[in-house]
PDB file of all heavy atoms in Angstrom:
ATOM      1  N   CYS A  22      -3.166   5.198  -5.425  1.00 98.00           N
ATOM      2  CA  CYS A  22      -4.175   5.516  -4.410  1.00 98.00           C
ATOM      3  C   CYS A  22      -4.312   7.025  -4.339  1.00 98.00           C
ATOM      4  O   CYS A  22      -3.318   7.736  -4.127  1.00 98.00           O
ATOM      5  CB  CYS A  22      -3.761   4.952  -3.068  1.00 98.00           C
ATOM      6  SG  CYS A  22      -4.841   5.413  -1.689  1.00 98.00           S
ATOM      7  N   ALA A  23      -5.535   7.502  -4.516  1.00 98.00           N
ATOM      8  CA  ALA A  23      -5.821   8.939  -4.445  1.00 98.00           C
ATOM      9  C   ALA A  23      -6.418   9.262  -3.088  1.00 98.00           C
ATOM     10  O   ALA A  23      -7.384   8.616  -2.658  1.00 98.00           O
ATOM     11  CB  ALA A  23      -6.779   9.333  -5.556  1.00 98.00           C
ATOM     12  N   PHE A  24      -5.864  10.259  -2.439  1.00 98.00           N
ATOM     13  CA  PHE A  24      -6.240  10.678  -1.083  1.00 98.00           C
ATOM     14  C   PHE A  24      -7.012  11.989  -1.166  1.00 98.00           C
ATOM     15  O   PHE A  24      -6.613  12.903  -1.895  1.00 98.00           O
ATOM     16  CB  PHE A  24      -4.949  10.870  -0.284  1.00 98.00           C
ATOM     17  CG  PHE A  24      -5.098  11.434   1.100  1.00 98.00           C
ATOM     18  CD1 PHE A  24      -4.960  10.627   2.208  1.00 98.00           C
ATOM     19  CD2 PHE A  24      -5.317  12.800   1.305  1.00 98.00           C
ATOM     20  CE1 PHE A  24      -5.054  11.142   3.499  1.00 98.00           C
ATOM     21  CE2 PHE A  24      -5.415  13.332   2.576  1.00 98.00           C
ATOM     22  CZ  PHE A  24      -5.285  12.496   3.674  1.00 98.00           C
ATOM     23  N   SER A  25      -8.089  12.109  -0.401  1.00 97.00           N
ATOM     24  CA  SER A  25      -8.835  13.364  -0.340  1.00 97.00           C
ATOM     25  C   SER A  25      -9.493  13.512   1.016  1.00 97.00           C
ATOM     26  O   SER A  25      -9.676  12.527   1.748  1.00 97.00           O
ATOM     27  CB  SER A  25      -9.886  13.424  -1.450  1.00 97.00           C
ATOM     28  OG  SER A  25     -10.854  12.410  -1.270  1.00 97.00           O
ATOM     29  N   ARG A  27      -8.537  15.481   3.735  1.00 96.00           N
ATOM     30  CA  ARG A  27      -7.690  16.058   4.782  1.00 96.00           C
ATOM     31  C   ARG A  27      -6.375  16.494   4.154  1.00 96.00           C
ATOM     32  O   ARG A  27      -6.185  16.408   2.938  1.00 96.00           O
ATOM     33  CB  ARG A  27      -7.437  15.022   5.889  1.00 96.00           C
ATOM     34  CG  ARG A  27      -8.636  14.679   6.743  1.00 96.00           C
ATOM     35  CD  ARG A  27      -9.016  15.779   7.702  1.00 96.00           C
ATOM     36  NE  ARG A  27     -10.065  15.378   8.641  1.00 96.00           N
ATOM     37  CZ  ARG A  27     -11.365  15.467   8.407  1.00 96.00           C
ATOM     38  NH1 ARG A  27     -11.802  15.953   7.241  1.00 96.00           N
ATOM     39  NH2 ARG A  27     -12.219  15.080   9.317  1.00 96.00           N
ATOM     40  N   THR A  28      -5.468  16.982   5.000  1.00 96.00           N
ATOM     41  CA  THR A  28      -4.159  17.410   4.513  1.00 96.00           C
ATOM     42  C   THR A  28      -3.259  16.188   4.340  1.00 96.00           C
ATOM     43  O   THR A  28      -2.881  15.552   5.329  1.00 96.00           O
ATOM     44  CB  THR A  28      -3.506  18.414   5.474  1.00 96.00           C
ATOM     45  OG1 THR A  28      -4.387  19.539   5.624  1.00 96.00           O
ATOM     46  CG2 THR A  28      -2.164  18.884   4.935  1.00 96.00           C
ATOM     47  N   PHE A  29      -2.926  15.894   3.111  1.00 96.00           N
ATOM     48  CA  PHE A  29      -2.199  14.677   2.773  1.00 96.00           C
ATOM     49  C   PHE A  29      -0.865  14.567   3.504  1.00 96.00           C
ATOM     50  O   PHE A  29      -0.484  13.495   3.968  1.00 96.00           O
ATOM     51  CB  PHE A  29      -1.983  14.663   1.259  1.00 96.00           C
ATOM     52  CG  PHE A  29      -1.295  13.438   0.728  1.00 96.00           C
ATOM     53  CD1 PHE A  29      -1.849  12.181   0.898  1.00 96.00           C
ATOM     54  CD2 PHE A  29      -0.093  13.558   0.024  1.00 96.00           C
ATOM     55  CE1 PHE A  29      -1.229  11.061   0.379  1.00 96.00           C
ATOM     56  CE2 PHE A  29       0.530  12.433  -0.492  1.00 96.00           C
ATOM     57  CZ  PHE A  29      -0.033  11.179  -0.316  1.00 96.00           C
ATOM     58  N   SER A  30      -0.179  15.678   3.631  1.00 94.00           N
ATOM     59  CA  SER A  30       1.160  15.649   4.226  1.00 94.00           C
ATOM     60  C   SER A  30       1.128  15.359   5.719  1.00 94.00           C
ATOM     61  O   SER A  30       2.179  15.139   6.333  1.00 94.00           O
ATOM     62  CB  SER A  30       1.886  16.960   3.960  1.00 94.00           C
ATOM     63  OG  SER A  30       1.165  18.045   4.505  1.00 94.00           O
ATOM     64  N   ASN A  31      -0.039  15.337   6.313  1.00 95.00           N
ATOM     65  CA  ASN A  31      -0.170  15.007   7.741  1.00 95.00           C
ATOM     66  C   ASN A  31      -0.305  13.508   7.994  1.00 95.00           C
ATOM     67  O   ASN A  31      -0.490  13.100   9.144  1.00 95.00           O
ATOM     68  CB  ASN A  31      -1.393  15.714   8.329  1.00 95.00           C
ATOM     69  CG  ASN A  31      -1.192  17.208   8.483  1.00 95.00           C
ATOM     70  OD1 ASN A  31      -0.074  17.708   8.398  1.00 95.00           O
ATOM     71  ND2 ASN A  31      -2.276  17.930   8.679  1.00 95.00           N
ATOM     72  N   MET A  34       1.387   6.942   4.718  1.00 98.00           N
ATOM     73  CA  MET A  34       0.567   6.148   3.804  1.00 98.00           C
ATOM     74  C   MET A  34       1.190   4.771   3.634  1.00 98.00           C
ATOM     75  O   MET A  34       2.423   4.606   3.741  1.00 98.00           O
ATOM     76  CB  MET A  34       0.473   6.834   2.450  1.00 98.00           C
ATOM     77  CG  MET A  34      -0.136   8.224   2.500  1.00 98.00           C
ATOM     78  SD  MET A  34      -1.871   8.224   3.001  1.00 98.00           S
ATOM     79  CE  MET A  34      -2.620   7.316   1.637  1.00 98.00           C
ATOM     80  N   GLY A  52       6.423   7.583   4.974  1.00 96.00           N
ATOM     81  CA  GLY A  52       6.083   8.693   5.841  1.00 96.00           C
ATOM     82  C   GLY A  52       5.916   9.981   5.069  1.00 96.00           C
ATOM     83  O   GLY A  52       6.211  10.057   3.866  1.00 96.00           O
ATOM     84  N   SER A  53       5.480  11.002   5.776  1.00 93.00           N
ATOM     85  CA  SER A  53       5.249  12.282   5.109  1.00 93.00           C
ATOM     86  C   SER A  53       6.540  12.865   4.555  1.00 93.00           C
ATOM     87  O   SER A  53       6.518  13.606   3.568  1.00 93.00           O
ATOM     88  CB  SER A  53       4.599  13.274   6.075  1.00 93.00           C
ATOM     89  OG  SER A  53       5.453  13.499   7.184  1.00 93.00           O
ATOM     90  N   SER A  70       5.902   5.082  -3.439  1.00 98.00           N
ATOM     91  CA  SER A  70       6.245   6.495  -3.619  1.00 98.00           C
ATOM     92  C   SER A  70       5.020   7.348  -3.339  1.00 98.00           C
ATOM     93  O   SER A  70       3.897   6.850  -3.358  1.00 98.00           O
ATOM     94  CB  SER A  70       6.771   6.743  -5.031  1.00 98.00           C
ATOM     95  OG  SER A  70       5.783   6.410  -5.992  1.00 98.00           O
ATOM     96  N   ARG A  71       5.256   8.619  -3.082  1.00 97.00           N
ATOM     97  CA  ARG A  71       4.136   9.532  -2.853  1.00 97.00           C
ATOM     98  C   ARG A  71       4.404  10.840  -3.575  1.00 97.00           C
ATOM     99  O   ARG A  71       5.571  11.261  -3.734  1.00 97.00           O
ATOM    100  CB  ARG A  71       3.897   9.779  -1.360  1.00 97.00           C
ATOM    101  CG  ARG A  71       4.967  10.538  -0.631  1.00 97.00           C
ATOM    102  CD  ARG A  71       4.673  10.545   0.878  1.00 97.00           C
ATOM    103  NE  ARG A  71       3.511  11.343   1.227  1.00 97.00           N
ATOM    104  CZ  ARG A  71       2.839  11.218   2.367  1.00 97.00           C
ATOM    105  NH1 ARG A  71       3.201  10.278   3.258  1.00 97.00           N
ATOM    106  NH2 ARG A  71       1.794  11.985   2.643  1.00 97.00           N
ATOM    107  N   ASP A  72       3.318  11.477  -3.990  1.00 96.00           N
ATOM    108  CA  ASP A  72       3.373  12.787  -4.637  1.00 96.00           C
ATOM    109  C   ASP A  72       2.527  13.723  -3.796  1.00 96.00           C
ATOM    110  O   ASP A  72       1.289  13.698  -3.881  1.00 96.00           O
ATOM    111  CB  ASP A  72       2.859  12.694  -6.073  1.00 96.00           C
ATOM    112  CG  ASP A  72       3.038  13.979  -6.844  1.00 96.00           C
ATOM    113  OD1 ASP A  72       3.035  15.073  -6.233  1.00 96.00           O
ATOM    114  OD2 ASP A  72       3.164  13.899  -8.084  1.00 96.00           O
ATOM    115  N   ASN A  73       3.178  14.549  -2.989  1.00 93.00           N
ATOM    116  CA  ASN A  73       2.438  15.435  -2.080  1.00 93.00           C
ATOM    117  C   ASN A  73       1.703  16.552  -2.818  1.00 93.00           C
ATOM    118  O   ASN A  73       0.804  17.168  -2.252  1.00 93.00           O
ATOM    119  CB  ASN A  73       3.387  16.031  -1.038  1.00 93.00           C
ATOM    120  CG  ASN A  73       3.796  15.007   0.010  1.00 93.00           C
ATOM    121  OD1 ASN A  73       3.105  14.006   0.223  1.00 93.00           O
ATOM    122  ND2 ASN A  73       4.919  15.250   0.658  1.00 93.00           N
ATOM    123  N   ALA A  74       2.065  16.806  -4.040  1.00 95.00           N
ATOM    124  CA  ALA A  74       1.359  17.820  -4.830  1.00 95.00           C
ATOM    125  C   ALA A  74       0.054  17.261  -5.405  1.00 95.00           C
ATOM    126  O   ALA A  74      -0.930  17.991  -5.562  1.00 95.00           O
ATOM    127  CB  ALA A  74       2.250  18.329  -5.959  1.00 95.00           C
ATOM    128  N   LYS A  75       0.059  15.959  -5.702  1.00 96.00           N
ATOM    129  CA  LYS A  75      -1.124  15.338  -6.305  1.00 96.00           C
ATOM    130  C   LYS A  75      -1.951  14.546  -5.294  1.00 96.00           C
ATOM    131  O   LYS A  75      -3.003  14.027  -5.638  1.00 96.00           O
ATOM    132  CB  LYS A  75      -0.692  14.413  -7.445  1.00 96.00           C
ATOM    133  CG  LYS A  75      -0.049  15.137  -8.608  1.00 96.00           C
ATOM    134  CD  LYS A  75       0.312  14.162  -9.719  1.00 96.00           C
ATOM    135  CE  LYS A  75       0.930  14.885 -10.903  1.00 96.00           C
ATOM    136  NZ  LYS A  75       1.290  13.948 -11.998  1.00 96.00           N
ATOM    137  N   ASN A  76      -1.455  14.440  -4.064  1.00 97.00           N
ATOM    138  CA  ASN A  76      -2.145  13.669  -3.021  1.00 97.00           C
ATOM    139  C   ASN A  76      -2.345  12.212  -3.430  1.00 97.00           C
ATOM    140  O   ASN A  76      -3.447  11.640  -3.307  1.00 97.00           O
ATOM    141  CB  ASN A  76      -3.505  14.293  -2.675  1.00 97.00           C
ATOM    142  CG  ASN A  76      -3.377  15.613  -1.939  1.00 97.00           C
ATOM    143  OD1 ASN A  76      -2.266  16.089  -1.710  1.00 97.00           O
ATOM    144  ND2 ASN A  76      -4.493  16.213  -1.598  1.00 97.00           N
ATOM    145  N   THR A  77      -1.287  11.635  -3.936  1.00 98.00           N
ATOM    146  CA  THR A  77      -1.359  10.238  -4.370  1.00 98.00           C
ATOM    147  C   THR A  77      -0.164   9.449  -3.869  1.00 98.00           C
ATOM    148  O   THR A  77       0.907  10.015  -3.589  1.00 98.00           O
ATOM    149  CB  THR A  77      -1.403  10.125  -5.897  1.00 98.00           C
ATOM    150  OG1 THR A  77      -0.222  10.730  -6.447  1.00 98.00           O
ATOM    151  CG2 THR A  77      -2.631  10.796  -6.471  1.00 98.00           C
ATOM    152  N   ILE A  78      -0.362   8.149  -3.759  1.00 98.00           N
ATOM    153  CA  ILE A  78       0.759   7.241  -3.570  1.00 98.00           C
ATOM    154  C   ILE A  78       0.669   6.151  -4.636  1.00 98.00           C
ATOM    155  O   ILE A  78      -0.411   5.856  -5.146  1.00 98.00           O
ATOM    156  CB  ILE A  78       0.797   6.595  -2.163  1.00 98.00           C
ATOM    157  CG1 ILE A  78      -0.394   5.678  -1.922  1.00 98.00           C
ATOM    158  CG2 ILE A  78       0.908   7.663  -1.095  1.00 98.00           C
ATOM    159  CD1 ILE A  78      -0.246   4.803  -0.690  1.00 98.00           C
TER     160      ILE A  78
END
Side-chain angles (χ1 to χ4, degrees):
C22 174
F24 174 105
S25 64
R27 290 287 187 273
T28 302
F29 183 60
S30 59
N31 288 346
M34 300 295 296
S53 61
S70 61
R71 67 187 291 161
D72 187 331
N73 286 338
K75 295 182 179 180
N76 290 2
T77 59
I78 65 168

